[in-house]
C-alpha cells in the first residue's frame, strides 16, 4: 500500500511495529524513537513545503523523480529488472512459466507474486526477514495489477512466479514494484497484453503531489496508487487510502494516469534498447 | 471463494446484465436489502449480525488495553480479523481459507481502521503507556456473495453498538508504572462515535457493464471488482480494485459516482435501522432463528 510502513494514524491490523500488551525492551526504544523523530521531522518539512505550493526537493507538483531502470541483474531468473524511482529501489525477478502441481486443472496461468522488504528498507525500526502484513498486502495488490496484464490463457497449468525485493522505501513503492515486475516479465519473454505501470498521487493539504517521496507520503491525508496499461487503456489496480471528495479524486486520478503514460514510454525505450543491444 | 460456473451460465448472466435484469430480478445498481440486529453477544463489548441475501455475518467487538504504537503515542488502534466459518462452505477450509481470511481482514481494515474513520485519540487512556485496542472479529456464517461489504456493514453496526468503560490511571506502588481504575457503575460508559465510519460498496465488472453487490454466481463471472468506502456525507474513504482483469478509467470514474450514491443511501438506511431497533422493546430470543 502507498502508506504502509510507518503510518501515523495509530496503525491498523497491518502495523508491524505494534508492541501489544506488556513492556517494550529498554534497548530498542531510544534508537527507534530517534528514527521516528527524524521521520516525523521530515514529514513536517514536506507538509510545510506543500502548504506553500513547493516540494522539498524543488520538483513541480506533477513531476516524477529520476527513474533508472536496468534489466538482467538476476542471472538465474528467466527475466529480471531493477528500478530506482528517486530513492525507492526495487529488484524484480521472474521465474517460469513452470508447471503447477495443483490437483485442479487451471486453463490459465497463476501469477504468484511475493513482495519482501530488506530489514533496512523502511524508516523506523529494523524489520525481520519474516514477511510482514504490509508485505502480504503489497503482494496481493501487485499480483492483481500484473494478472490483468499477462496473457494468462497462453500458459495453462502453469505458474509464473514474480519475486520482488524492496531495498529502500522512499515512497511510491507499490507503483515501483508493479513497473519493475512488468519490465521483468517482458524481459523474461512472457506474453503480455501491455505493460502495467504504477503511479502514485498523494493529497497534502490542498496540494496534489505526483510520485511522493517517503516524507510526503507520511504527511499525506490520502493517496491514490494505481497501475495503468496505456495501450489497452485499462486500470489493472486502483488503491485509494484516506478520505477524498469526488472532484479532487478525479483530478488526482488524471495526474496519476499522465505520469503512468510517461513512464510507460521510458520503459518501452529501455526494453527496445536491451533488445537491440543483444542483437548487435 | 469462487464457485464453478459453466460457459452457458456465464453467457446467460451476461446477457441478462446487458438488459439490466439480473438473475435475482435486481437492476444493475440495486443492492440486496439488509437485515441487521445488534447486541446479540452478551460477552462482547459490541456485536451485530447482518444478513444480505444468503450472506450472513456475525461481528463481535472486544476491547483490550494495550500499549500505544511508538509512532502514535496519543492514539489507540483498531484490529480487524475475519474468519469464514468452515461450516459455511467446503471452500473455506485449510490453507486456502487462511489466505481468504487474511485478504478479507486486510480489506475490511482498510475501511474500518482508515485515518479519519474512527476517533483514535478518544481511545487513548494514558499517552505513551495505555490505550484501548478495539478488536473487531467477524465470523462469516454463510456466503451468498459480496462478503466484504457485509463484513464492513456488520462491523459498522457492531462498532455503533460498542461502549467503552470509563477508565482512569493511577500511579501504582512501583514507581513509573500505572494501574487502571475502572468505574464500578456498569452504565458509566462512553459510546464510540461512528459518524465518519464508512460502509463499503462493491461493483463487479461483467462484460461491458458493472453490477452492484454481486451474488456468488456473478462473482464467478466477473472480470474485476471495485470496492469503494463511502461515509455518511459522501466522502470517498478508500477504494481497491481486485480480480484478474482491468477496468477502463472512464468506467472507473462512473463506478465511483454510482458507489457514492449507493453508499450514502446505505449509511442512511443503516442509521434508520439502528434507530428503529433501539425503539423496539424486545427480548432477544433465539440466536440463529
Amino acid at each position: 500500500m502507498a502508506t504502509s510502513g510507518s503510518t501515523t494514524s495509530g496503525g491498523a491490523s497491518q502495523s508491524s511495529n505494534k508492541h501489544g500488551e506488556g513492556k517494550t525492551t529498554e534497548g530498542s526504544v531510544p534508537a527507534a524513537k530517534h528514527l521516528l523523530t527524524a521521520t516525523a521531522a521530515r514529514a513536517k518539512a514536506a507538509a510545510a513545503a506543500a502548504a506553500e505550493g513547493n516540494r522539498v526537493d524543488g520538483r513541480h507538483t506533477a513531476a516524477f523523480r529520476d527513474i533508472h531502470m536496468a534489466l538482467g541483474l538476476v542471472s538465474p531468473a528467466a527475466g529480471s529488472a531493477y528500478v530506482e524511482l528517486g530513492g525507492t529501489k526495487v529488484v524484480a525477478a521472474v521465474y517460469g512459466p513452470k508447471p503447477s502441481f495443483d490437483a485442479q486443472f487451471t486453463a490459465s496461468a497463476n501469477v504468484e507474486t511475493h513482495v519482501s522488504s530488506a530489514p533496512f528498507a523502511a524508516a523506523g525500526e529494523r524489520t525481520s526477514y519474516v514477511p510482514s502484513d504490509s508485505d502480504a498486502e503489497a503482494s496481493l495488490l501487485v499480483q492483481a495489477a500484473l494478472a490483468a496484464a499477462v496473457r494468462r490463457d497462453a500458459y495453462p497449468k502453469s505458474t509464473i512466479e514474480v519475486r520482488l525485493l524492496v531495498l529502500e522505501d522512499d515512497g511510491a513503492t507499490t507503483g515501483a514494484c508493479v513497473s519493475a515486475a512488468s519490465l521483468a516479465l517482458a524481459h523474461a519473454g512472457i506474453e503480455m497484453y501491455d505493460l502495467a505501470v504504477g503511479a502514485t498521487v498523494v493529497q497534502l493539504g490542498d496540494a496534489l503531489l505526483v510520485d511522493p517521496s517517503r516524507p510526503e507520503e507520511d504527511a499525506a491525508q490520502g493517496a491514490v496508487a494505481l497501475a495503468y496499461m496505456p495501450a489497452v487503456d485499462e486500470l489493472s489496480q486502483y488503491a485509494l487510502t484516506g478520505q477524498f471528495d469526488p472532484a479532487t479524486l478525479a483530478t488526482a486520478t488524471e495526474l496519476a494516469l499522465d505520469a503512468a503514460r510517461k513512464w510507460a514510454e521510458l520503459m518501452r525505450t529501455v526494453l527496445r534498447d536491451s533488445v537491440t543491444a543483444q542483437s548487435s | 471463494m469462487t464457485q464453478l460456473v459453466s460457459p452457458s451460465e456465464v453467457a446467460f448472466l451476461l446477457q441478462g446484465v446487458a438488459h439490466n435484469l439480473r438473475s435475482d430480478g435486481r437492476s444493475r445498481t440495486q443492492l440486496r436489502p439488509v437485515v441487521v440486529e445488534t447486541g446479540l453477544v452478551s460477552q462482547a463489548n459490541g456485536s451485530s449480525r447482518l444478513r444480505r441475501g444468503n450472506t450472513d455475518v456475525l461481528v463481535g467487538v472486544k476491547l483490550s488495553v494495550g500499549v500505544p504504537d511508538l509512532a502514535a503515542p496519543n492514539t489507540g488502534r483498531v484490529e480487524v480479523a475475519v474468519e469464514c466459518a468452515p461450516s459455511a462452505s467446503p471452500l473455506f477450509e485449510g490453507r486456502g481459507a487462511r489466505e481468504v481470511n487474511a485478504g478479507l481482514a486486510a480489506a475490511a481494515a482498510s475501511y474500518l481502521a482508515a485515518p479519519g474513520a474512527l476517533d483514535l485519540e478518544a481511545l487513548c487512556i494514558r499517552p505513551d503507556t495505555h490505550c484501548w485496542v478495539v478488536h473487531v472479529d467477524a465470523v462469516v456464517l454463510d456466503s451468498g456473495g459480496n462478503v466484504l461489504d457485509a463484513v464492513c456493514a456488520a462491523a459498522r453496526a457492531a462498532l455503533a453498538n460498542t461502549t467503552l468503560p470509563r477508565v482512569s490511571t493511577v500511579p501504582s506502588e512501583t514507581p513509573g508504572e500505572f494501574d487502571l481504575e475502572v468505574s464500578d457503575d456498569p452504565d458509566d460508559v462512553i459510546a464510540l462515535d461512528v459518524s465518519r465510519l464508512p460502509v463499503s460498496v462493491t461493483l463487479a465488472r461483467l462484460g461491458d457493464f458493472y453490477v452492484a453487490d454481486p451474488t456468488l454466481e456473478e462473482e464467478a463471472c466477473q472480470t474485476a471488482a471495485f470496492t469503494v468506502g463511502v461515509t455518511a456525507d459522501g466522502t470517498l474513504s478508500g477504494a481497491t480494485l481486485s480480480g484478474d482483469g482491468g477496468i477502463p478509467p472512464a468506467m472507473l470514474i462512473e463506478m465511483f459516482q454510482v458507489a457514492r450514491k449507493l453508499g450514502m443511501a446505505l449509511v442512511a438506511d443503516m442509521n434508520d435501522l439502528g434507530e428503529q431497533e433501539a425503539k423496539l422493546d424486545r427480548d432477544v430470543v433465539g440466536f440463529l432463528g
Side-chain angles (χ1 to χ4, degrees):
Chain A
M1 281 308 296
T3 50
S4 68
S6 47
T7 55
T8 51
S9 64
S13 61
Q14 301 94 307
S15 166
S16 51
N17 288 345
K18 70 173 191 263
H19 296 277
E21 278 101 70
K23 303 189 189 63
T24 56
T25 52
E26 279 307 311
S28 66
V29 171
K33 267 200 147 141
H34 166 75
L35 281 168
L36 285 169
T37 326
T39 316
R42 283 193 289 264
K44 247 178 89 173
E52 293 163 24
N54 301 326
R55 300 176 81 160
V56 174
D57 55 5
R59 276 188 283 158
H60 185 265
T61 52
F64 48 77
R65 293 166 286 182
D66 284 344
I67 302 177
H68 298 274
M69 294 172 273
L71 302 172
L73 270 83
V74 182
S75 18
S80 59
Y82 172 68
V83 166
E84 270 186 30
L85 178 63
T88 300
K89 301 171 173 65
V90 177
V91 179
V94 168
Y95 295 88
K98 14 185 218 185
S100 357
F101 295 105
D102 278 343
Q104 216 180 20
F105 167 83
T106 45
S108 54
N110 186 23
V111 180
E112 245 181 51
T113 314
H114 300 276
V115 176
S116 50
S117 311
F120 40 78
E125 284 184 319
R126 173 192 180 273
T127 56
S128 82
Y129 278 105
V130 174
S132 68
D133 286 334
S134 57
D135 284 340
E137 222 190 307
S139 304
L140 283 174
L141 288 172
V142 176
Q143 185 164 319
L146 299 173
V150 170
R151 268 205 69 208
R152 296 161 58 238
D153 295 337
Y155 305 98
K157 304 184 289 186
S158 311
T159 300
I160 299 169
E161 211 182 295
V162 181
R163 292 188 172 275
L164 290 147
L165 176 63
V166 177
L167 296 171
E168 191 179 327
D169 177 358
D170 191 18
T173 318
T174 341
C177 287
V178 170
S179 304
S182 293
L183 281 171
L185 285 163
H187 185 242
I190 307 273
E191 289 185 42
M192 297 167 77
Y193 293 112
D194 193 4
L195 293 171
V197 187
T200 315
V201 173
V202 295
Q203 182 175 26
L204 241 188
D206 288 328
L208 288 172
L209 306 175
V210 171
D211 186 28
S213 60
R214 183 82 252 160
E216 287 170 347
E217 255 188 44
D218 287 341
Q221 290 98 12
V224 173
L226 53 78
Y228 180 55
M229 298 183 287
V232 300
D233 187 33
E234 272 192 8
L235 287 159
S236 62
Q237 183 51 268
Y238 192 97
L240 178 76
T241 40
Q243 305 199 322
F244 276 87
D245 69 273
T248 323
L249 190 59
T251 323
T253 310
E254 216 20 77
L255 284 171
L257 291 175
D258 263 338
R261 285 182 198 113
K262 290 186 194 130
W263 193 356
E265 277 314 307
L266 297 172
M267 283 166 75
R268 283 177 200 282
T269 316
V270 167
L271 286 166
R272 260 195 300 267
D273 288 346
S274 91
V275 170
T276 41
Q278 272 174 7
S279 55
S280 64
Chain B
M1 277 210 302
T2 51
Q3 65 171 47
L4 298 171
V5 68
S6 71
S8 333
E9 262 185 280
V10 172
F12 177 75
L13 251 149
L14 292 181
Q15 282 170 19
V17 164
H19 285 94
N20 202 14
L21 183 63
R22 295 155 74 174
S23 297
D24 54 6
R26 284 187 283 159
S27 74
R28 289 194 291 262
T29 54
Q30 207 175 338
L31 304 174
R32 285 171 292 185
V34 154
V35 177
V36 63
E37 292 173 82
T38 59
L40 298 166
V41 180
S42 55
Q43 297 302 321
N45 296 96
S47 60
S48 76
R49 180 177 168 219
L50 186 140
R51 271 166 294 170
R52 191 190 233 172
N54 282 337
T55 305
D56 196 344
V57 179
L58 178 64
V59 174
V61 177
K62 275 195 162 275
L63 302 166
S64 70
V65 177
V67 181
D69 279 347
L70 264 185
N74 292 333
T75 66
R77 54 180 176 273
V78 177
E79 294 183 0
V80 181
V82 177
E83 187 180 336
C84 294
S87 52
S89 158
L91 300 161
F92 298 159
E93 244 188 323
R95 196 174 148 263
R98 263 194 297 136
E99 286 174 4
V100 168
N101 292 340
L104 275 174
S110 70
Y111 301 107
L112 300 168
L118 278 177
D119 185 4
L120 296 174
E121 286 183 10
L123 298 175
C124 177
I125 301 171
R126 187 171 179 279
D128 285 316
T129 55
H130 296 83
C131 71
W132 286 117
V133 181
V134 180
H135 300 273
V136 179
D137 290 289
V139 179
V140 179
L141 299 166
D142 194 1
S143 167
N146 199 11
V147 172
L148 175 60
D149 284 0
V151 165
C152 287
R156 187 176 186 281
L159 287 166
N161 180 242
T162 302
T163 49
L164 306 168
R166 213 175 283 275
V167 149
S168 55
T169 51
V170 290
S172 80
E173 289 155 2
T174 332
E177 280 181 32
F178 295 83
D179 287 336
L180 290 171
E181 249 185 18
V182 187
S183 160
D184 280 337
D185 181 4
D187 292 324
D188 189 12
V189 290
I190 318 166
L192 274 182
D193 176 16
V194 297
S195 56
R196 292 211 56 81
L197 199 62
V199 286
S200 64
V201 177
T202 300
L203 300 167
R205 182 185 173 186
L206 294 172
D208 290 332
F209 301 91
Y210 51 86
V211 296
D213 185 22
T215 59
L216 266 186
E217 296 80 18
E218 288 165 346
E219 279 180 347
C221 310
Q222 73 186 20
T223 354
F226 190 51
T227 308
V228 185
V230 185
T231 60
D233 62 355
T235 318
L236 300 165
S237 170
T240 359
L241 217 165
S242 55
D244 295 331
I247 297 185
M251 192 190 270
L252 194 93
I253 301 291
E254 238 184 77
M255 284 164 115
F256 261 123
Q257 291 162 353
V258 168
R260 183 168 178 262
K261 234 174 47 174
L262 291 172
M264 286 170 76
L266 181 61
V267 172
D269 277 345
M270 291 201 55
N271 289 341
D272 280 343
L273 286 173
E275 282 169 25
Q276 279 173 35
E277 193 190 22
K279 289 198 196 112
L280 285 177
D281 185 24
R282 82 202 198 293
D283 287 328
V284 179
V285 174
F287 192 66
L288 290 175

